[in-house]
Amino acid sequence: MGSGSHSDDAHPGGDIGAGPAGLLLSRLLQLQGIDTVVLENRSREYVEARIRAGILEEHTVQTLVDAGVGDRLQREGLPHDGIYLQYPGVRHHLDFPDLCGRRVWVYGQTEVTRDLITAQLDDGPPLLFGVSDVSPEDVDGDAPRIRFTDADGNPQVLECDAIAGTDGFHGVSRPVVTAGTPGRLWERTYPYAWLGILADVAPSSEELVYAWHPDGFALLSMRSPAVSRLYVQVDPTEKIADWPDERIWEALGTRLGVDGGALQAGPVTEKSILPMRSFVSAPMRRGRLFLAGDAAHIVPPTGAKGLNLAVADVTLLADALVRLLKKHQTDLVDSYSDRALARVWRCTHFSWWMTSMLHRSGDDFDAELQLSQLRRVCRSEAAARELAENYTGLPIDR
Ligand code: FAD
Ligand code: DHB
């Protein structure tokens, strides 16, 4: 969890959690002359090895470039001008620049995290790995603090002006917010999960393929011209041991194959099952403790919004904290939660819609509704534009 920060005039602040949200917030504040401390309970090796999201919206890319951490992204990231939607007999290309004037980039969250950690350790404020017992305190007043135990086992107290709870879904910040503010939680779990693999094989399509199939959803994605990232819909109760590589490739081949285009298999280097849920916690603030990213909300992965939404939160929160800590004006921190939640709900709807359209569950009636919706997106420019605008990221209302 978290980070802390202090401004030129010696007002300290703090963030909790060195995921993309906490690291980027710290970087944005540092560029405005506000010092931060980032507290992370895992090791650097663990954080840098986590395989997660892979698609960056244009806004996310621009934010990273503007923050001075976009050099490798610009060299190694793969710009994509669209995606394919597939259902039996059809593989249809959606051209994003044509539909909405934007595109997306393939660049793994792992790489984004590595770039941010390198910048933070090279010339940034402190980033402490391996801390424990992190606890935000006195968040209702103007001088909150974070108690924690450092990696050597010594108890520490970080006095702050503000605390960012960027400690993900299982962090300690959200319970502090919900315990002290009247608010609400919304949650939906889905009756399916994704089994994801990384494989050392060139992607069998130059752009992503989202495939509806009677056996279940499949997604062809990638991390580089030599590394494929692939997902198949599975039952959430399934065990990874029941999915040897041959079974995964067979399912992928059946669901993603098209006439004349076989799916290339290769050595599998990572394999995991991801549960799927929608979750929103409001408000995203209690006093001087502000939630951002997965600490406040989770979307199912279809549509690749999770990481991008965390970056959008942090964009709003950085503006608000700069105004609070440098100008002592509270207007932007006061409106932060409402403005962030408006985008959260848009992304929650889009992710739910993509998920519901593409995954098999229910009966044949549901399947016909899904196919009707897919045909609509492939045949109607207005329906395709709606998908493209959301997928590439709607402008942020700063
Ligand atoms: P996180 O990345 O979760 O970072 C939170 C940080 O806080 C972590 O480093 C954690 O170790 C640290 N932390 C937690 N508790 C404490 C504590 N008590 N004290 C100190 N530190 C703490 N999104 C997509 O768009 N596409 C995908 O394919 C995709 N795949 C995913 C796969 C998995 C397994 C998961 C979990 C998520 C996936 N997501 C995906 C979602 C996306 O990765 C998240 O939305 C994104 O990581 C959010 O960033 P964050 O910084 O808010 O949270
Ligand atoms: C990836 C993940 C997604 O959730 C998605 O919609 C597209 C791509 C990926 O991990 O590459």
Short mmCIF file of all heavy atoms in Angstrom, two decimals, residues 51-55 83 106-109 194 197-198 208 210 217 219-223 228-231 274 300-306 354 391, ligand 2:
data_model
loop_
_atom_site.label_atom_id
_atom_site.label_comp_id
_atom_site.label_asym_id
_atom_site.label_seq_id
_atom_site.Cartn_x
_atom_site.Cartn_y
_atom_site.Cartn_z
N ILE A 51 2.51 -10.71 -13.97
CA ILE A 51 1.99 -10.58 -15.33
C ILE A 51 0.53 -10.14 -15.23
O ILE A 51 -0.29 -10.84 -14.64
CB ILE A 51 2.04 -11.92 -16.10
CG1 ILE A 51 3.42 -12.53 -16.04
CG2 ILE A 51 1.57 -11.74 -17.54
CD1 ILE A 51 4.49 -11.81 -16.79
N ARG A 52 0.22 -9.01 -15.79
CA ARG A 52 -1.16 -8.53 -15.75
C ARG A 52 -1.56 -7.93 -17.08
O ARG A 52 -1.39 -8.56 -18.11
CB ARG A 52 -1.33 -7.54 -14.60
CG ARG A 52 -1.28 -8.24 -13.23
CD ARG A 52 -1.56 -7.28 -12.14
NE ARG A 52 -1.77 -7.94 -10.86
CZ ARG A 52 -2.02 -7.27 -9.75
NH1 ARG A 52 -2.07 -5.95 -9.76
NH2 ARG A 52 -2.21 -7.92 -8.63
N ALA A 53 -2.06 -6.69 -17.08
CA ALA A 53 -2.66 -6.11 -18.28
C ALA A 53 -1.65 -5.86 -19.39
O ALA A 53 -0.43 -5.89 -19.16
CB ALA A 53 -3.33 -4.79 -17.89
N GLY A 54 -2.16 -5.62 -20.60
CA GLY A 54 -1.25 -5.43 -21.72
C GLY A 54 -1.61 -4.35 -22.71
O GLY A 54 -0.86 -4.10 -23.64
N ILE A 55 -2.77 -3.71 -22.53
CA ILE A 55 -3.23 -2.75 -23.54
C ILE A 55 -3.31 -1.36 -22.92
O ILE A 55 -4.00 -1.17 -21.91
CB ILE A 55 -4.63 -3.14 -24.07
CG1 ILE A 55 -4.61 -4.56 -24.64
CG2 ILE A 55 -5.14 -2.14 -25.11
CD1 ILE A 55 -3.76 -4.72 -25.88
N ILE A 83 -8.99 -3.90 -33.52
CA ILE A 83 -9.11 -5.28 -33.02
C ILE A 83 -9.99 -6.05 -34.00
O ILE A 83 -10.68 -5.44 -34.82
CB ILE A 83 -9.76 -5.34 -31.61
CG1 ILE A 83 -11.14 -4.66 -31.62
CG2 ILE A 83 -8.86 -4.76 -30.55
CD1 ILE A 83 -11.97 -4.92 -30.37
N VAL A 106 0.12 -1.94 -27.37
CA VAL A 106 0.43 -3.16 -26.63
C VAL A 106 1.76 -2.93 -25.92
O VAL A 106 2.79 -2.70 -26.57
CB VAL A 106 0.54 -4.37 -27.59
CG1 VAL A 106 1.09 -5.58 -26.84
CG2 VAL A 106 -0.80 -4.69 -28.21
N TYR A 107 1.73 -2.94 -24.61
CA TYR A 107 2.94 -2.79 -23.78
C TYR A 107 2.55 -3.28 -22.40
O TYR A 107 1.64 -2.74 -21.78
CB TYR A 107 3.37 -1.32 -23.74
CG TYR A 107 4.74 -1.08 -23.13
CD1 TYR A 107 5.90 -1.51 -23.76
CD2 TYR A 107 4.87 -0.38 -21.93
CE1 TYR A 107 7.16 -1.26 -23.20
CE2 TYR A 107 6.12 -0.12 -21.36
CZ TYR A 107 7.26 -0.57 -22.02
OH TYR A 107 8.51 -0.32 -21.47
N GLY A 108 3.22 -4.34 -21.94
CA GLY A 108 2.77 -5.01 -20.72
C GLY A 108 2.81 -4.13 -19.48
O GLY A 108 3.70 -3.29 -19.33
N GLN A 109 1.85 -4.37 -18.59
CA GLN A 109 1.85 -3.68 -17.29
C GLN A 109 3.16 -3.94 -16.55
O GLN A 109 3.67 -3.07 -15.83
CB GLN A 109 0.66 -4.17 -16.46
CG GLN A 109 0.60 -3.57 -15.07
CD GLN A 109 -0.70 -3.90 -14.36
OE1 GLN A 109 -1.72 -4.18 -14.99
NE2 GLN A 109 -0.69 -3.87 -13.05
N TRP A 194 -10.99 -16.50 -16.62
CA TRP A 194 -10.06 -16.62 -17.76
C TRP A 194 -8.88 -17.47 -17.33
O TRP A 194 -8.31 -17.24 -16.25
CB TRP A 194 -9.50 -15.25 -18.16
CG TRP A 194 -10.38 -14.41 -19.01
CD1 TRP A 194 -11.70 -14.62 -19.30
CD2 TRP A 194 -10.00 -13.19 -19.67
NE1 TRP A 194 -12.15 -13.60 -20.11
CE2 TRP A 194 -11.15 -12.72 -20.35
CE3 TRP A 194 -8.81 -12.46 -19.76
CZ2 TRP A 194 -11.12 -11.54 -21.11
CZ3 TRP A 194 -8.79 -11.29 -20.50
CH2 TRP A 194 -9.94 -10.84 -21.18
N ILE A 197 -2.38 -17.59 -20.67
CA ILE A 197 -1.00 -18.09 -20.83
C ILE A 197 -0.14 -17.05 -21.54
O ILE A 197 -0.65 -16.22 -22.31
CB ILE A 197 -0.92 -19.42 -21.63
CG1 ILE A 197 -1.50 -19.26 -23.05
CG2 ILE A 197 -1.59 -20.55 -20.89
CD1 ILE A 197 -1.15 -20.41 -23.98
N LEU A 198 1.14 -17.10 -21.22
CA LEU A 198 2.16 -16.42 -22.04
C LEU A 198 2.88 -17.52 -22.80
O LEU A 198 3.18 -18.57 -22.21
CB LEU A 198 3.19 -15.73 -21.15
CG LEU A 198 3.07 -14.27 -20.79
CD1 LEU A 198 4.32 -13.87 -20.03
CD2 LEU A 198 2.86 -13.36 -21.98
N LEU A 208 -5.29 -7.85 -31.98
CA LEU A 208 -5.99 -8.72 -31.03
C LEU A 208 -7.27 -9.29 -31.65
O LEU A 208 -7.93 -8.62 -32.44
CB LEU A 208 -6.39 -7.93 -29.77
CG LEU A 208 -5.34 -7.89 -28.67
CD1 LEU A 208 -4.10 -7.15 -29.09
CD2 LEU A 208 -5.92 -7.26 -27.40
N TYR A 210 -10.87 -10.94 -30.37
CA TYR A 210 -11.84 -11.29 -29.33
C TYR A 210 -12.86 -12.23 -29.98
O TYR A 210 -13.58 -11.82 -30.89
CB TYR A 210 -12.58 -10.04 -28.83
CG TYR A 210 -11.73 -9.11 -27.98
CD1 TYR A 210 -10.85 -8.19 -28.55
CD2 TYR A 210 -11.83 -9.13 -26.59
CE1 TYR A 210 -10.09 -7.34 -27.77
CE2 TYR A 210 -11.07 -8.28 -25.79
CZ TYR A 210 -10.21 -7.38 -26.39
OH TYR A 210 -9.45 -6.54 -25.60
N PHE A 217 -15.54 -18.10 -24.69
CA PHE A 217 -14.74 -16.99 -25.22
C PHE A 217 -13.26 -17.37 -25.34
O PHE A 217 -12.74 -18.18 -24.57
CB PHE A 217 -14.90 -15.81 -24.26
CG PHE A 217 -13.99 -14.64 -24.51
CD1 PHE A 217 -14.18 -13.83 -25.62
CD2 PHE A 217 -12.95 -14.35 -23.63
CE1 PHE A 217 -13.35 -12.73 -25.85
CE2 PHE A 217 -12.12 -13.26 -23.85
CZ PHE A 217 -12.32 -12.46 -24.97
N LEU A 219 -9.35 -15.14 -26.38
CA LEU A 219 -8.72 -13.87 -26.76
C LEU A 219 -7.28 -14.15 -27.18
O LEU A 219 -6.54 -14.81 -26.46
CB LEU A 219 -8.74 -12.91 -25.57
CG LEU A 219 -7.92 -11.61 -25.68
CD1 LEU A 219 -8.40 -10.73 -26.83
CD2 LEU A 219 -8.01 -10.81 -24.37
N LEU A 220 -6.95 -13.61 -28.35
CA LEU A 220 -5.55 -13.67 -28.79
C LEU A 220 -4.96 -12.28 -28.59
O LEU A 220 -5.44 -11.31 -29.17
CB LEU A 220 -5.50 -14.06 -30.28
CG LEU A 220 -4.13 -14.29 -30.92
CD1 LEU A 220 -4.30 -15.08 -32.21
CD2 LEU A 220 -3.39 -12.99 -31.25
N SER A 221 -3.94 -12.20 -27.74
CA SER A 221 -3.24 -10.94 -27.53
C SER A 221 -1.74 -11.24 -27.61
O SER A 221 -1.33 -12.32 -28.03
CB SER A 221 -3.64 -10.32 -26.19
OG SER A 221 -2.98 -9.09 -26.00
N MET A 222 -0.94 -10.27 -27.22
CA MET A 222 0.51 -10.44 -27.39
C MET A 222 1.25 -9.49 -26.46
O MET A 222 0.67 -8.57 -25.90
CB MET A 222 0.89 -10.14 -28.85
CG MET A 222 0.58 -8.71 -29.24
SD MET A 222 0.37 -8.50 -31.01
CE MET A 222 -1.16 -9.32 -31.35
N ARG A 223 2.54 -9.71 -26.32
CA ARG A 223 3.40 -8.78 -25.59
C ARG A 223 4.51 -8.22 -26.47
O ARG A 223 5.09 -7.19 -26.16
CB ARG A 223 4.02 -9.48 -24.37
CG ARG A 223 3.03 -9.74 -23.25
CD ARG A 223 2.53 -8.43 -22.62
NE ARG A 223 1.53 -8.69 -21.59
CZ ARG A 223 0.22 -8.76 -21.85
NH1 ARG A 223 -0.24 -8.56 -23.07
NH2 ARG A 223 -0.63 -9.00 -20.87
N SER A 228 3.24 -14.37 -27.41
CA SER A 228 1.77 -14.32 -27.45
C SER A 228 1.21 -14.35 -26.04
O SER A 228 1.77 -14.99 -25.14
CB SER A 228 1.21 -15.53 -28.21
OG SER A 228 1.60 -15.52 -29.55
N ARG A 229 0.09 -13.67 -25.86
CA ARG A 229 -0.67 -13.74 -24.61
C ARG A 229 -2.06 -14.21 -25.02
O ARG A 229 -2.71 -13.56 -25.88
CB ARG A 229 -0.73 -12.35 -23.96
CG ARG A 229 -1.57 -12.25 -22.71
CD ARG A 229 -0.86 -12.84 -21.50
NE ARG A 229 -1.51 -12.49 -20.25
CZ ARG A 229 -1.51 -13.29 -19.18
NH1 ARG A 229 -0.93 -14.46 -19.22
NH2 ARG A 229 -2.09 -12.90 -18.05
N LEU A 230 -2.52 -15.31 -24.46
CA LEU A 230 -3.77 -15.91 -24.91
C LEU A 230 -4.65 -16.25 -23.71
O LEU A 230 -4.13 -16.60 -22.64
CB LEU A 230 -3.48 -17.17 -25.72
CG LEU A 230 -2.69 -16.92 -27.01
CD1 LEU A 230 -1.65 -17.98 -27.22
CD2 LEU A 230 -3.63 -16.83 -28.20
N TYR A 231 -5.95 -16.14 -23.89
CA TYR A 231 -6.88 -16.45 -22.80
C TYR A 231 -8.01 -17.35 -23.33
O TYR A 231 -8.47 -17.15 -24.46
CB TYR A 231 -7.53 -15.17 -22.26
CG TYR A 231 -6.58 -14.15 -21.68
CD1 TYR A 231 -6.12 -13.09 -22.46
CD2 TYR A 231 -6.17 -14.21 -20.35
CE1 TYR A 231 -5.26 -12.12 -21.93
CE2 TYR A 231 -5.31 -13.25 -19.82
CZ TYR A 231 -4.87 -12.21 -20.61
OH TYR A 231 -4.03 -11.25 -20.08
N LEU A 274 -7.77 -16.36 -13.77
CA LEU A 274 -8.20 -15.08 -13.20
C LEU A 274 -9.71 -15.09 -12.98
O LEU A 274 -10.47 -15.27 -13.92
CB LEU A 274 -7.91 -13.91 -14.16
CG LEU A 274 -6.66 -13.92 -15.02
CD1 LEU A 274 -6.66 -12.72 -15.95
CD2 LEU A 274 -5.44 -13.87 -14.12
N PRO A 300 -14.03 -6.55 -14.84
CA PRO A 300 -13.56 -7.78 -15.49
C PRO A 300 -12.64 -7.38 -16.65
O PRO A 300 -12.78 -6.28 -17.19
CB PRO A 300 -14.85 -8.44 -15.99
CG PRO A 300 -15.86 -7.34 -16.08
CD PRO A 300 -15.47 -6.32 -15.06
N PRO A 301 -11.68 -8.24 -17.02
CA PRO A 301 -10.63 -7.79 -17.93
C PRO A 301 -11.05 -7.54 -19.38
O PRO A 301 -10.33 -6.85 -20.10
CB PRO A 301 -9.60 -8.93 -17.87
CG PRO A 301 -10.36 -10.12 -17.39
CD PRO A 301 -11.45 -9.60 -16.51
N THR A 302 -12.19 -8.08 -19.82
CA THR A 302 -12.58 -7.93 -21.24
C THR A 302 -12.70 -6.45 -21.60
O THR A 302 -13.57 -5.76 -21.07
CB THR A 302 -13.94 -8.63 -21.50
OG1 THR A 302 -14.15 -9.62 -20.51
CG2 THR A 302 -14.02 -9.16 -22.90
N GLY A 303 -11.83 -5.98 -22.47
CA GLY A 303 -11.84 -4.56 -22.84
C GLY A 303 -10.64 -3.83 -22.27
O GLY A 303 -10.42 -2.66 -22.59
N ALA A 304 -9.88 -4.49 -21.39
CA ALA A 304 -8.58 -3.98 -20.92
C ALA A 304 -8.66 -2.61 -20.24
O ALA A 304 -7.86 -1.73 -20.50
CB ALA A 304 -7.59 -3.93 -22.10
N LYS A 305 -9.61 -2.46 -19.33
CA LYS A 305 -9.79 -1.14 -18.70
C LYS A 305 -9.08 -0.97 -17.37
O LYS A 305 -8.85 0.16 -16.93
CB LYS A 305 -11.30 -0.88 -18.48
CG LYS A 305 -12.08 -0.55 -19.72
CD LYS A 305 -11.69 0.80 -20.30
CE LYS A 305 -11.56 0.71 -21.78
NZ LYS A 305 -10.56 1.49 -22.42
N GLY A 306 -8.75 -2.07 -16.65
CA GLY A 306 -8.30 -1.95 -15.26
C GLY A 306 -7.12 -1.01 -15.07
O GLY A 306 -7.18 -0.06 -14.29
N MET A 354 -18.84 -5.71 -22.71
CA MET A 354 -17.94 -6.56 -23.52
C MET A 354 -17.95 -7.99 -22.97
O MET A 354 -17.99 -8.96 -23.73
CB MET A 354 -16.51 -6.02 -23.47
CG MET A 354 -16.26 -4.78 -24.27
SD MET A 354 -16.10 -5.09 -26.05
CE MET A 354 -14.42 -5.72 -26.15
N TYR A 391 -13.12 1.67 -26.00
CA TYR A 391 -11.93 0.81 -25.95
C TYR A 391 -10.66 1.64 -25.95
O TYR A 391 -9.71 1.36 -25.20
CB TYR A 391 -11.95 -0.15 -27.15
CG TYR A 391 -10.96 -1.28 -27.05
CD1 TYR A 391 -11.34 -2.53 -26.59
CD2 TYR A 391 -9.63 -1.10 -27.43
CE1 TYR A 391 -10.43 -3.58 -26.49
CE2 TYR A 391 -8.70 -2.15 -27.33
CZ TYR A 391 -9.11 -3.37 -26.86
OH TYR A 391 -8.21 -4.40 -26.76
C1 DHB B 2 -5.11 -8.24 -22.68
C2 DHB B 2 -5.95 -8.27 -21.62
C3 DHB B 2 -7.26 -7.85 -21.78
O1 DHB B 2 -8.09 -7.86 -20.74
C4 DHB B 2 -7.73 -7.43 -22.99
O2 DHB B 2 -9.02 -7.06 -23.12
C5 DHB B 2 -6.87 -7.38 -24.05
C6 DHB B 2 -5.55 -7.81 -23.89
C7 DHB B 2 -3.71 -8.69 -22.50
O3 DHB B 2 -3.36 -9.13 -21.40
O4 DHB B 2 -2.94 -8.64 -23.47
#
